[in-house]
Coordinates of all heavy atoms in Angstrom, one line a residue:
P33 N -8.5 -9.2 -4.5 CA -9.8 -9.5 -4.9 C -10.8 -8.2 -4.8 O -11.9 -8.3 -5.3 CB -10.2 -10.6 -4.0 CG -9.3 -10.4 -2.8 CD -8.1 -9.8 -3.2
V34 N -10.2 -7.1 -4.1 CA -11.0 -6.0 -4.0 C -10.8 -5.0 -5.2 O -9.7 -4.7 -5.5 CB -10.6 -5.2 -2.6 CG1 -11.3 -4.0 -2.5 CG2 -10.8 -6.2 -1.5
F35 N -11.8 -4.6 -5.8 CA -11.7 -3.8 -6.9 C -11.2 -2.4 -6.7 O -10.3 -1.9 -7.3 CB -13.0 -3.7 -7.7 CG -13.0 -2.8 -8.9 CD1 -12.4 -3.1 -10.0 CD2 -13.6 -1.6 -8.9 CE1 -12.3 -2.4 -11.2 CE2 -13.6 -0.7 -10.1 CZ -13.0 -1.1 -11.2
D36 N -11.7 -1.6 -5.6 CA -11.4 -0.3 -5.3 C -10.6 -0.4 -4.0 O -11.2 -0.5 -3.0 CB -12.6 0.6 -5.4 CG -12.3 2.1 -5.1 OD1 -11.1 2.4 -4.9 OD2 -13.3 2.9 -4.7
L37 N -9.3 -0.1 -4.1 CA -8.5 -0.1 -2.8 C -8.5 1.2 -2.1 O -7.9 1.2 -1.0 CB -7.1 -0.6 -3.2 CG -6.9 -2.2 -3.6 CD1 -5.6 -2.4 -4.1 CD2 -7.4 -3.0 -2.5
R38 N -9.0 2.3 -2.7 CA -8.9 3.7 -2.1 C -9.4 3.5 -0.6 O -8.8 4.0 0.2 CB -9.7 4.5 -2.9 CG -8.7 5.4 -3.8 CD -9.5 6.4 -4.6 NE -10.1 5.7 -5.6 CZ -11.2 6.1 -6.3 NH1 -11.6 7.2 -6.0 NH2 -11.7 5.4 -7.2
P39 N -10.7 3.0 -0.4 CA -11.2 3.0 1.1 C -10.2 2.2 2.0 O -10.0 2.6 3.2 CB -12.4 2.3 0.9 CG -12.8 2.3 -0.5 CD -11.6 2.5 -1.3
H40 N -9.6 1.1 1.5 CA -8.7 0.3 2.3 C -7.4 1.1 2.6 O -6.9 1.1 3.7 CB -8.4 -1.1 1.6 CG -9.7 -1.9 1.4 ND1 -10.2 -2.6 2.4 CD2 -10.4 -2.0 0.3 CE1 -11.3 -3.1 1.9 NE2 -11.4 -2.8 0.6
V41 N -6.9 1.9 1.7 CA -5.7 2.5 1.9 C -6.0 3.7 2.8 O -5.1 4.0 3.7 CB -5.1 3.0 0.5 CG1 -3.9 4.0 0.8 CG2 -4.6 1.8 -0.3
Q42 N -7.2 4.3 2.7 CA -7.6 5.4 3.5 C -7.6 4.9 5.0 O -7.2 5.7 5.9 CB -8.9 6.0 3.1 CG -8.7 6.8 1.9 CD -7.6 7.9 2.0 OE1 -7.6 8.8 2.9 NE2 -6.6 7.8 0.9
A43 N -8.2 3.7 5.1 CA -8.3 3.1 6.5 C -6.9 2.8 7.0 O -6.6 3.1 8.2 CB -9.0 1.8 6.4
L44 N -5.9 2.3 6.3 CA -4.5 2.1 6.6 C -3.9 3.5 7.1 O -3.2 3.5 8.1 CB -3.8 1.5 5.5 CG -4.1 0.1 5.2 CD1 -3.5 -0.4 3.9 CD2 -3.7 -1.0 6.3
L45 N -4.2 4.4 6.3 CA -3.6 5.9 6.7 C -4.1 6.3 7.9 O -3.4 6.8 8.9 CB -3.9 6.8 5.5 CG -3.0 7.0 4.4 CD1 -3.6 7.8 3.3 CD2 -1.6 7.6 4.7
H46 N -5.4 6.0 8.2 CA -6.0 6.5 9.4 C -5.5 5.7 10.7 O -5.3 6.2 11.7 CB -7.6 6.5 9.3 CG -8.3 6.8 10.5 ND1 -8.4 8.1 10.9 CD2 -8.9 6.0 11.4 CE1 -9.1 8.2 12.1 NE2 -9.4 6.9 12.4

Side-chain angles (χ1 to χ4, degrees):
V34 178
F35 179 70
D36 183 6
L37 290 175
R38 264 178 285 159
H40 299 279
V41 173
Q42 291 304 306
L44 289 167
L45 274 168
H46 178 73

